[in-house]
Amino acid sequence: MRCGPWAALAVGLLHFCLAQANFAPHFFDNGAGSTNGNMALFSLPEDTPVGSHVYTLNGTDPEGDPISYHISFDPNTRSVFSVDPNFGNITLVEELDREREDEIEAIISISDGLNLVAEKVVILVTDANDEAPRFIQEPYIVLVPEVSEGSLGRDGVPTGFLCRKLPLAPGHSPTAWGLLTPDGGGRLRGADVVFSVTTTVTINVEDVQDMAPVFVGTPYYGYVYEDTIPGSEVLKVVAIDGDRGKPNHILYRLMNGSDGAFEINETSGGISVLQSPAQLGREVYELHIQVTEISSAGSPVAQAMIPVTIRIVDLNNHPPTFYGESGPQNRFELSMYEHPPQGEILRGLKITVNDSDQGANAKFNLRLVGPGGVFRVVPQTVLNEAQVTIIVENSAAIDFEKSKVLAFKLLAIEVNTPEKFSSTADIVIQLLDTNDNVPKFTSHYYIARIPENTLGGSNVVAVTAVDPDTGPWGKVKYSIYGTGSDLFLIHPSTGLIYTQPWASLDAEGTSRYNFYVKAEDMEGRYSLAEVFVTLLDVNDHYPQFGQSIQEKTMVLGTPVKIEATDQDAEEPNNLVDYSITHAEPANVFDIDAHTGEIRLKNSIHSLDALQNITPNGDYTWSLQVQAKDRGSPSFSTTAVLKIDITDTETLSRGSMAAFLIQTKDNPMKAVGVLAGVMAIVVAITVLISTATFWRNKKSNKVQPVRRVLRRRPSPAPRTVRIEWLKFRRAKTATKFMLKEDPPNENCNNSSAGITMPPRAPAPPPPPRMAPRMATQWKVPTVSGSLTPQQPQQSSKPKTLGSPIQSSLVSELRQKFEKKSVDNKAYF
C-alpha cells in the first residue's frame, strides 16, 4: 500500500523527534588515582613494560546503547597507547622515557553510534631510577707527600664519595684506589634499584726524609780466635736509611771501647782487628758504632748508635755434623703411612750427629724445626756424638689429605760456645694414603623446587659428596632411601637425582617430599644428607562452582554471594576473580570481583524500579557469572545464577516467608529447624507417656488384703476422655504452629527458571490403630511465598492452613492418637 505525502511527512517528523531525543554518551570521572574512567590526572611510570594494560576507559550512554572507545594523538607525536574499542582497555605500545618526554597529550572519545564525545587528556610520565651516575674529568692522578694528613678532595679527587683501597704495591710506588659513587636509589620495574659507577684514582706517594738510620742483623757479636791474623775483618755492621724512597748515604764511625785494637770501615761498616789475639788484653770488648746519614748537599741529617760485642776465645772450628749410613749427609728421606700410632719410632731414619771439638765446645742441642707437636727428637742434648731418634707425637696431624709431604729441619746448635755453631739436616717424609676418610656431602641439606607438571625421568637436583682419599678409596657411590623417595632415583656415580620414568607429580596431592641420600665408599664408610623437594604449583585446575545453575533470593540492600573454588595448591593459581558476562536484563547488578558478592546497582532502591526495568515485572533475573583464576595461562568457568528479589517490607509482614527466604540458599538450615521442633515434640511426648505410665501402674497395684480386678471403662467415659485428650493435643500443638499468610496474587511463584523451596521430610508412618479410631492425615510438602503479610483485624488464632504448620500438627496429632490408643483401656 502506498503512503500519501502527509504520511511520509509524519514518518520523517517522527524520526527527527526520535533522533533529537537521543542523548550523547559520557565518560565517568573517577578522579586521580583511578585506573578507569576518563584518564583525568592519570600518570604512568616511565619503566612500565610495553604491552601492559595501563588504564580502562569507562563511560555510559543514557539510553543504554552500545558504546565504543577511541584514542588518537597529534600526527607529529608518537602513538603511545592503543585502546580496545569495545572494552576500553588501554595498552602501552611504545616505550616511555621521561627524560625525553615527560607528558603525553591524547584525545579520547566515546560514541554510541550517533553521538561522539571527545576529550583532550594529558598523561604524566613519572620518573624511574633508570640512569646511572657518571664521572667527569677522568683520569684522576694525585701526588701526596707521605706525611700528609686529612682526606682527599681538592687535588682532583671528588670529595664525599666512598673509596675502597686496592692492594698496595711494594714501597712507595703509585697506589690505585677504586672510587665508588652510588646514586640515591629508586624504583625500577617494581624493584628498588641503586646504580653506581666506579673510577680509578692514582695516588703517587712522595717520600720525605723523616726516618733515622736502621741497623740490620742486630745484635752484633764478633769473635777473635787464636789463629786470627791482624787486619782480618771480625764482623760487619750494616745500617740503611729508614726512608726507602730516596735513601741518603750512610757513614760508619767507631766511637769508643776499642782501646786501639779495632777499627771500622766508614763506608762498608766492616770491623777489623789490628792486633794478634795474644796482644789483646781483654776477653770481651764492647764497641759503640755510630752511623750518620749524609744528605745530597753533604750535610749530616740523622744519626744512630748501636753496641757491638767482640769476644776473644780459643779456637772452636768444628760445628756439629750429621751422618748417614754412608757418611756426612744433610738430607734424609722416608716413606710411611699416614696416622701411625702415637709413640712409634721412625725406624727408616738412620741419623748420627757428631761435633769433633772437645769439652764445652762439643756440647750442642737437637731440635726439630717445622710443624710443631708432630714429632719429637731424642736425645735433646748431645755431648760429642749420639744416634738420633725421631718419635711420633701427634698421629692426627700426619694426614695424607692435608699434606702429602712433611718436611722438617733437624737443627744442632752448640750450647756453651760464643760462636753457637750450628748445622741442619732436612727431614723429608713422604706420606702414603689410607682409607681414613668418610665421604662428606657438600651440604647437609639439598633443596629443589620443580614444577608439578615435570615429566618422568626429569632431573631434580644433583648432590655431591667428596672423599679426600685417593684411588679406589676415594670413589663414592650414591643411593637414596626414605618414605618420600618412591618417586625419585639417583645416579650411583654422579649423584644426579631425577624422577621415576612413571612418576606423576601433583602439588595438590603432595607438595613436598623429603628423603635421604647416602654417599658410601668401597669399604662401607658413608654419610647422609637430607633432600627436600618442593613441587611448584602449576595452574592445572579450572575454578568450579558448586552447581552450574544456582538460584538465590536477594533482599533489597543485601548482596547475595556466589562462590567458586580452585583446587590449585598455591596463589595466584587458586585465586578466583568473578565477573558477570551476561545478564538478562542488563545494567542491574554489580559483582565484587574478589568476593563474588552480587548487589543491585546504587540507582535501584525499590521493587517498583525493578518492575519498570524487567519486561515481565517478575523481579527475576538470570545472570551468567564467570569465575576466572589468576594463573598463567588463566582458566575460567561459568555458572547461571537465577535471582529472585524482594524487599525488607515484604519480609517483615510474614515470619514464615522470611524464614523460607533466609533458608532458601541454605536448605540444611531449614532441616535443622524442623529437626529441633521434632526433638521438642518427642521430648514432650516421652514426658507425658512416662507420667501416664507411672500413674496407671500406681492405680493397678495389688493390695495386700485383696485383689481388685478392674473392668474396662464404658464407651461413654472413653469418648469424654478422648475429647479431653484432643483438646490437650490441640492446645499443645498450637505452640509449634508456624504462621503463614495466604498466597498473594502479586507474587509470582511459578516464574520460569525459579526453583521451588525444598520439600519437608516425610514424617514416619502413623502407628497401626483400631479400625474405628483410624484417621487418614495428609502431609503436604513445604512451600512458601514472598507475599507481604496483610495486617490482621482480629486476635483470633489462625487455622492450620499453612503447609508447614499442617505437617507439624499432623505429626503431633499422630503421636497423641497413638498414645490414646495405647491407654484406651483405662478410660
Side-chain angles (χ1 to χ4, degrees), residues 27-29 37-43 55 57 70-74 77 81 90 101 103-109 117-124:
F27 285 105
F28 292 126
D29 187 356
N38 62 351
M39 298 187 78
L41 301 178
F42 176 62
S43 62
Y55 198 86
L57 294 177
H70 307 278
I71 187 169
S72 61
F73 300 87
D74 189 278
T77 62
F81 303 102
I90 293 182
E101 187 178 16
E103 64 180 31
I104 300 169
E105 293 185 357
I107 297 176
I108 59 173
S109 58
V117 177
E119 297 182 8
K120 183 178 182 180
V121 295
V122 177
I123 298 95
L124 301 179

Side-chain angles (χ1 to χ4, degrees), residues 248-463:
N248 288 325
H249 183 61
I250 301 293
L251 295 180
Y252 299 89
R253 181 182 178 187
L254 180 57
M255 298 300 296
N256 53 40
S258 69
D259 294 338
F262 300 93
E263 67 177 359
I264 188 169
N265 188 304
E266 67 173 6
T267 58
S268 67
I271 300 175
S272 302
V273 60
L274 301 177
Q275 301 173 359
S276 66
Q279 293 175 325
L280 298 176
R282 289 185 291 174
E283 292 184 359
V284 178
Y285 288 85
E286 292 288 342
L287 308 182
H288 291 84
I289 308 300
Q290 177 182 294
V291 295
T292 303
E293 291 185 27
I294 305 300
S295 67
S296 59
S299 60
V301 177
Q303 296 177 339
M305 186 174 292
I306 192 170
V308 176
T309 302
I310 298 179
R311 292 180 180 273
I312 311 302
V313 297
D314 292 335
L315 184 62
N316 179 25
N317 54 0
H318 294 94
T321 304
F322 293 99
Y323 295 87
E325 293 180 335
S326 58
Q329 187 175 332
N330 59 5
R331 182 181 177 87
F332 300 87
E333 295 185 1
L334 172 69
S335 295
M336 62 180 294
Y337 285 103
E338 62 178 333
H339 303 303
Q342 185 170 347
E344 180 174 315
I345 297 174
L346 304 187
R347 302 187 183 278
L349 294 176
K350 306 294 185 181
I351 304 174
T352 302
V353 62
N354 175 268
D355 191 327
S356 300
D357 291 321
Q358 300 298 319
N361 291 337
K363 186 177 182 181
F364 55 90
N365 290 336
L366 289 176
R367 69 171 183 265
L368 286 173
V369 180
V374 180
F375 299 99
R376 61 186 176 92
V377 63
V378 177
Q380 295 184 352
T381 302
V382 179
L383 183 60
N384 291 118
E385 184 177 293
Q387 191 76 27
V388 178
T389 302
I390 298 177
I391 302 174
V392 175
E393 195 166 59
N394 185 358
S395 176
I398 307 173
D399 192 344
F400 176 85
E401 285 71 34
K402 294 180 181 178
S403 178
K404 297 178 176 58
V405 178
L406 297 178
F408 298 85
K409 284 189 177 295
L410 183 57
L411 174 63
I413 182 170
E414 294 178 346
V415 179
N416 298 323
T417 62
E419 298 83 6
K420 300 291 183 182
F421 286 143
S422 64
S423 62
T424 60
D426 292 325
I427 308 297
V428 180
I429 302 175
Q430 301 285 343
L431 295 182
L432 304 177
D433 193 20
T434 61
N435 188 23
D436 61 329
N437 288 281
V438 175
K440 290 185 179 180
F441 284 96
T442 56
S443 175
H444 295 294
Y445 304 95
Y446 291 89
I447 299 175
R449 296 177 175 87
I450 59 175
E452 64 173 328
N453 61 354
T454 298
L455 299 178
S458 299
N459 296 341
V460 177
V461 65
V463 300

Side-chain angles (χ1 to χ4, degrees), residues 76 88 106 152 279 358 365 493 514 608 687 732 735 760 774 824:
N76 298 325
L152 303 176
Q279 293 175 325
Q358 300 298 319
N365 290 336
S493 300
N514 74 291
D608 295 336
L687 291 175
T732 304
K735 297 180 181 180
K824 63 184 179 179

